[in-house]
Structures are given as structure tokens and as C-alpha cells.
Amino acid sequence: RLHSHDVRYGSGSGQQSVTGVSAADDGNSYWRVRGPTEAVCQRGTPVRCGQAIRLTHLGTGRNLHSHRFASPLSGNQEVSAFGEAGEGDYLDDWTVVCSGTYWVRESEVRFQHTSTDVFLSVTGEQYGRPIHGQKEVHGMAASNQNNYWKVMEGIFMQPSEAFKAEQYHAEL
């Protein structure tokens, strides 16, 4: 599970750490899907494959972020949480890579950083203190089995009426 908390990296950017955990009962693994920087995403509008989004950590209000710092354990690209109250910068934008037209809750998805093209990934590297046992989340240049993600829990909005009409309306 994509996880974060108000613990900063001791190297690299010094920004809020982002890790991977297996525990299902930790509220620090909740993220809000939002439109990309300086764009509005109406609640209830499905996310299209290929669309840019931001993921905002519910507990701290910081956005999933990446930049050209080396990650602390693997030396891949660092992934952090950045900004205040959901506002950050263009390095918070990620493209949803999926099959089909829309991101479907039950399907696996990849997130590709829009500025540096790395894929949001988790491998086996684990931290020691103060986040013992949590796995390093980082950006990898190649798509592979380490960068598939799936929605596990959350609050899901029903598609908007305009979207439903677009999908099911047929002219005579």
C-alpha cells in the first residue's frame, strides 16, 4: 500500500517520505485523486487512461511528488510528498497508465511521473529506524512488475450524470 507520514528523508530532498506497507488498517495509506496542477477535476468524473492526476495524502495534505534526487536505499529516483494543503508544483503530476478508456477500480494501474517519465515503484528494500520494515517507494525508468498498483479501499464516487449520458445516450 502506498503510505506516507510526517517523517522526512534524512538525505536527498529532505521532504516527507513515501513508503510501501502491507498493513490494511493504517490511515496513513489513504490518498485523494485530484486533477493535475492548475486544473480542475470535477468529483464523479471518471479518470481516463493517459490522464494526468495528483495524489494528495489525506493525513498531511502533501502531494505525491518526484524529482531528480536519488532514493535513499536503491539509488533510483526519489519519491516524496510535497506541498501544503494539497498545493505543490508541476512535479506532483502523474499520468495514469492503464488499459481501456478509464481507470477501473478493480484493475491494476501504473503511475508515470509526467516530468521525468519514471514509474511509481516498490521493490524489496526496507528501511530501519524510524520507519522500520517499510519498503522504499521510488521511481524506476522501466515499466515492470514492481510498478503495478491497485485500489484497495476508499470512498468511490458514482459517475456524474453527464458521464452516464455520454456513455449510454444514442441518437436516433
Side-chain angles (χ1 to χ4, degrees):
R1 295 170 194 277
L2 188 63
H3 183 86
S4 192
H5 36 255
D6 203 2
V7 173
R8 300 197 176 258
Y9 289 122
S11 63
S13 69
Q15 293 176 353
Q16 181 174 306
S17 60
V18 174
T19 62
V21 300
S22 57
D25 60 350
D26 192 326
N28 284 320
S29 297
Y30 294 132
W31 299 79
R32 179 178 169 206
V33 178
R34 301 176 62 211
T37 305
E38 299 185 20
V40 176
C41 179
Q42 295 287 6
R43 184 177 6 196
T45 302
V47 176
R48 290 185 174 277
C49 296
Q51 178 179 335
I53 62 165
R54 280 179 294 168
L55 294 171
T56 303
H57 187 250
L58 288 182
T60 63
R62 294 188 177 105
N63 298 320
L64 188 67
H65 184 87
S66 193
H67 39 219
R68 296 195 192 276
F69 283 93
S71 60
L73 301 180
S74 67
N76 287 309
Q77 187 166 302
E78 181 185 277
V79 171
S80 61
F82 173 77
E84 295 297 327
E87 298 310 315
D89 64 23
Y90 70 98
L91 294 172
D92 301 339
D93 295 344
W94 297 81
T95 299
V96 177
V97 179
C98 52
S99 58
T101 305
Y102 297 101
W103 176 8
V104 179
R105 177 174 38 176
E106 296 82 17
S107 298
E108 291 180 326
V109 64
R110 287 187 170 110
F111 300 104
Q112 187 171 26
H113 193 245
T114 58
S115 294
T116 63
D117 293 328
V118 297
F119 291 92
L120 182 67
S121 303
V122 63
T123 50
E125 298 87 3
Q126 291 188 357
Y127 289 102
R129 292 187 60 223
I131 50 178
H132 179 73
Q134 295 183 19
K135 293 186 177 187
E136 180 185 76
V137 170
H138 49 254
M140 294 181 77
S143 62
N144 60 41
Q145 73 278 4
N146 297 316
N147 41 55
Y148 279 112
W149 297 88
K150 188 175 180 183
V151 174
M152 301 304 292
E153 305 83 29
I155 299 170
F156 303 96
M157 304 297 163
Q158 292 297 321
S160 66
E161 291 302 318
F163 172 74
K164 288 178 186 175
E166 172 189 319
Q167 293 297 314
Y168 303 109
H169 188 311
E171 294 293 327
L172 295 176

